[in-house]
Amino acid sequence: PMYKVRDHFTLPVEVEALGVIPHAHYICKDMKGVAILPDGKRKWMIWIRNWNFNWQEQYRYAKPMRLPAGTRLEMEFTYDNSEANPRNPSHPPQPVSWGMGSHDEMAGLHVQVVPARMEDLEELGKALWGKVMRSLGGGIYRHRRNGGRGNLLDPRRRCRGGRQRDVGVICHRRGRRAAVDLLLRQARR
């Protein structure tokens, strides 16, 4: 039977999208990522038909995609947990839920962006963090009870400033030196 996972995020600031990193496991069949601009125009960010687990890569755009504030980023992944799916590792098919193992499933479309104005970085980060927390219901900081394994983003292991350093590397490569200085100052706080 086919199953769809959908999600969305509205950009609070203007950005340049540099690429995407789609993530799913074996039973995903189709991945769609689209940007819906404030004027209603649609721009495909990625569409992979017949997904293959080995394609978990970083897909860079040949030219950055400018996306204005108010753009809605949408993803839709379709899963096929049937005997007819040649990539299904379970024969007969077994129930599948979200999880870290390869025989579990995930649905993630990570869009790599740089704010058009570096002073908007904090607003973008707060909006994204708010979306993550609303999606997880704050569970990112709770200890998982299944086997005593810790959470992926355990607050004791967080690296404050990591996001700023990552964006700083991208800015440095693109010749935006003033932005790099600003990001480094933020990362040191």
Side-chain angles (χ1 to χ4, degrees):
M2 297 290 190
Y3 180 78
K4 293 188 184 290
V5 172
R6 294 180 182 96
D7 201 0
H8 64 88
F9 177 71
T10 302
L11 294 169
V13 299
E14 183 178 11
V15 301
E16 285 184 350
L18 306 175
V20 294
I21 304 171
H23 187 86
H25 295 169
Y26 290 107
I27 65 170
C28 185
K29 291 291 283 184
D30 187 75
M31 295 179 156
K32 296 176 184 174
V34 66
I36 301 173
L37 305 181
D39 66 4
K41 182 179 173 186
R42 298 168 65 92
K43 287 185 176 184
W44 281 104
M45 302 188 78
I46 194 165
W47 187 354
I48 299 177
R49 298 166 184 89
N50 206 15
W51 168 255
N52 183 318
F53 178 80
N54 297 314
W55 295 347
Q56 296 183 59
E57 297 286 336
Q58 186 174 12
Y59 295 88
R60 292 275 185 187
Y61 299 129
K63 184 176 110 181
M65 185 185 304
R66 184 71 82 159
L67 301 172
T71 297
R72 181 178 162 109
L73 306 179
E74 294 185 353
M75 64 163 269
E76 179 184 276
F77 288 13
T78 303
Y79 297 84
D80 178 4
N81 189 17
S82 73
E83 195 73 42
N85 181 354
R87 293 194 179 96
N88 190 340
S90 301
H91 298 281
Q94 299 295 311
V96 176
S97 60
W98 183 92
M100 299 296 292
S102 294
H103 287 73
D104 300 321
E105 262 307 337
M106 291 188 179
L109 183 61
H110 311 283
V111 182
Q112 298 173 306
V113 301
V114 175
R117 290 169 302 283
M118 292 322 301
E119 56 269 16
D120 290 339
L121 179 62
E122 187 172 348
E123 182 178 351
L124 178 61
K126 285 180 180 177
L128 182 56
W129 185 247
K131 192 233 184 315
V132 168
M133 293 307 292
R134 285 188 300 279
S135 296
L136 298 175
I140 200 164
Y141 287 117
R142 289 193 299 265
H143 185 69
R144 284 180 14 196
R145 290 173 173 48
N146 59 349
R149 296 189 328 235
N151 277 313
L152 204 62
L153 294 177
D154 186 325
R156 294 165 297 196
R157 292 186 289 164
R158 276 183 60 217
C159 175
R160 191 168 185 348
R163 179 178 58 230
Q164 286 89 352
R165 280 191 299 278
D166 293 345
V167 175
V169 169
I170 293 168
C171 292
H172 177 71
R173 289 181 184 153
R174 301 189 71 217
R176 293 167 81 171
R177 305 272 190 259
V180 173
D181 292 341
L182 171 66
L183 290 165
L184 288 174
R185 283 195 304 277
Q186 288 178 344
R188 288 186 192 120
R189 282 191 217 154

